[in-house]
Amino acid sequence: MKNLFPVAAVLAALAITSCNPAPSASKISADPDNAGLKLPQGFGALKVADSIGQARHIAVTGQGDIYVKLNRLKDNKGIVLLSDKDGDGKAETQSSFGNYGGTGISLKNGYLYASSNEAVYRYKLDDQQHVTDTAKPETIVTGLIDRRQHNSKSVVLDDSGYVYVNIGAYSNSCQTEDRTKGSQGMQPCPILDSAGGIWRFRADGQNQSYGDGIRYATGLRNVVGLDWNTTNNALFVMQHGRDGLHDLFPDMYDTKTSAELPAEAMYQLKMGSDCGWPYIYYDQFQKKKILAPEYGGDGKKEGAPNAEEPVVAFPAHLAPNALLFYTGNMFPEKYKNGAFVAFHGSWNRAPEKQAGYMVAFVPFSGGKPSGDWEVFADGFAGMEEVTSPGQAKHRPCGLAQGPDGSLYISDDVTGAIYRIIYNK
Amino acid sequence: MKLVNGLVIGGLIFLGCNQQQTSSSSENKTDSVAAPAPAPVISDSLKAVLAKGQEVYNKHCVTCHQAGGDGVPNLNPPLTGTDYVLGDKTRLINVVLKGLNEDVEINGMVYSNPMPAHAFLNDQEVADVLTYVRNSFGNTAEGITKEEVKAVRAAK
């Protein structure tokens, strides 16, 4: 009996060790003002960190550490690692590495994947999910097109060894003269050969470029938010819809219509999906794929009958920058497997007031939306009405789920990281 | 006509100084002391130019550059406190006539959306809107005349 005690102690210690890495939610409390956010009843928010740089996408490890991809280098580094050593929910330590700016970051199978605006890298992780050699990432994908407009390369991985990369179109609507009043659309749109879609590459490949991957889906103007849905094993994306219907075709669209069209659309993709850009846009009021004015449309004519239908249509110009399917256990049952969408906030709804600057939620059941979308977290902008995006104090940009089921939200204005918890 | 333009420009300079006087009178004593109140006639002409410029701005510029000229972070450059607006007139006129699709870095931020060419605006409209932009949102700079726009357009 005596001999068993050390074994029991070791087992107990192991149990503690394996449960310990994720700081227990019970030790973590929301900030008194919920970090300035408005949330549904029972939820609270705390600011984990601030002023870390233009925080784009984020990934949280099993230990609760947070990797943040910065849009631009800060102190000559583009990836920040935040750690909460004492388990109070606030990050006390941060380190940084990587000499490139960008948006994409994701954790999968012992690697950290991160993207610049033209390449995807990965770093081997140790058993604490810390990068073993920050100076020597493998180059997984390289040579992706970066013509400044829509150049962020968001990444997500599936469970079959593939990485999916958004390559945004370097254009608004594939006009001969981009964003120029009255200019007609190019037929066929030549941009689609190397951009305006999602490309798939081997997650463990080296120095892959266009010829080594496949164009998984096309006709997507620009996707920043994307996630792999494990319920139906499918890629879901949020498209940034086209701009400037009124500015480019003032005789066809008034300013109000232009502010409200087209929808920001969520698509479920399969290999070979075509979502219709630039030939059509989705009109969420008519619930139709409308032929773009650059391609002979008049606001009523339909087009691209074979293009995918959106699974959710959000209001125009809200700029969906992150998508996350919630698989945690902290939040109430309604949120399980549902979609959170971080909206960066609009800039082109004038003279209507700007909108977005919030995180929305869509309930899902069986891999399909099971109800209307709703605002989940609001108040990032720090003001009731935003008339110009430069006024917003914070803008949601990235989403991640913590090991305890907390939801993390990044902001790329001041570089704040929020953590949303549910108080049972 | 040349004389009228001269008067308008003179008025703009005075206006600029007056704006500085109200916004930062303690910092810029030289300007504020040197600036007498503009004559009513010139002020009216000036107001008319700015009003016409604002009309063009609201029709063709406001969506991207915003009503306050502060632009959109990372996408569309601000028109406030930047050499692109306050500096060389020829470069500025060319941005409007030919558009701009290159990295623009202002105060540590890079802007990625291309600016389309606005050559469809006539010389007077370009002059009015640039005069408006150079004397709004806290900016103060000499106005731009339609002759200057015409010369730049001809040189392309």
Side-chain angles (χ1 to χ4, degrees), chain A residues 196-274:
Chain A
I198 305 290
W199 267 254
R200 192 186 80 172
F201 300 94
R202 292 289 316 173
D204 59 356
Q206 305 289 315
N207 294 304
Q208 302 166 91
S209 197
Y210 288 100
D212 307 300
I214 60 162
R215 190 179 71 175
Y216 187 78
T218 189
L220 288 158
R221 178 175 173 274
N222 186 31
V223 167
V224 186
L226 75 178
D227 198 13
W228 189 261
N229 186 319
T230 53
T231 304
N232 51 8
N233 213 28
L235 178 64
F236 281 69
V237 300
M238 289 291 320
Q239 175 177 242
H240 281 224
R242 57 158 304 153
D243 302 328
L245 286 169
H246 168 75
D247 286 343
L248 301 173
F249 296 89
D251 299 337
M252 252 178 255
Y253 299 90
D254 62 21
T255 54
K256 189 168 194 300
T257 310
S258 190
E260 294 179 343
L261 286 176
E264 301 285 51
M266 180 193 289
Y267 293 102
Q268 176 180 339
L269 302 181
K270 56 184 184 299
M271 175 100 77
S273 283
D274 182 349

Side-chain angles (χ1 to χ4, degrees), chain B:
Chain B
M1 198 57 197
K2 232 178 185 171
L3 178 66
V4 174
N5 278 330
L7 286 172
V8 169
I9 290 169
L12 283 169
I13 293 166
F14 291 141
L15 173 94
C17 294
N18 278 346
Q19 282 187 338
Q20 265 182 347
Q21 194 172 15
T22 42
S23 61
S24 58
S25 53
S26 58
E27 292 166 19
N28 228 325
K29 278 183 177 152
T30 319
D31 281 357
S32 58
V33 169
V41 173
I42 296 168
S43 179
D44 284 349
S45 322
L46 181 62
K47 276 184 195 161
V49 171
L50 295 183
K52 280 193 282 178
Q54 187 174 25
E55 208 173 293
V56 178
Y57 185 85
N58 287 341
K59 202 167 171 190
H60 301 288
C61 318
V62 72
T63 309
C64 295
H65 291 293
Q66 308 291 312
D70 55 337
V72 179
N74 296 310
L75 296 181
N76 308 322
L79 303 175
T80 54
T82 165
D83 190 56
Y84 279 96
V85 170
L86 300 171
D88 182 54
K89 288 180 174 182
T90 302
R91 178 172 75 168
L92 178 61
I93 293 167
N94 269 325
V95 168
V96 173
L97 293 178
K98 297 178 179 175
L100 189 70
N101 192 5
E102 60 189 52
D103 274 341
V104 171
E105 184 169 345
I106 297 169
N107 295 328
M109 194 174 273
V110 175
Y111 298 87
S112 63
N113 269 356
M115 158 119 175
H118 285 66
F120 59 86
L121 295 174
N122 67 34
D123 295 340
Q124 188 66 59
E125 289 171 321
V126 174
D128 289 346
V129 76
L130 289 179
T131 298
Y132 170 74
V133 165
R134 278 160 68 96
N135 292 280
S136 301
F137 325 127
N139 290 336
T140 49
E142 193 177 56
I144 285 177
T145 66
K146 71 172 184 179
E147 283 74 18
E148 288 171 317
V149 177
K150 189 179 180 183
V152 172
R153 198 193 293 264
K156 70 180 177 180

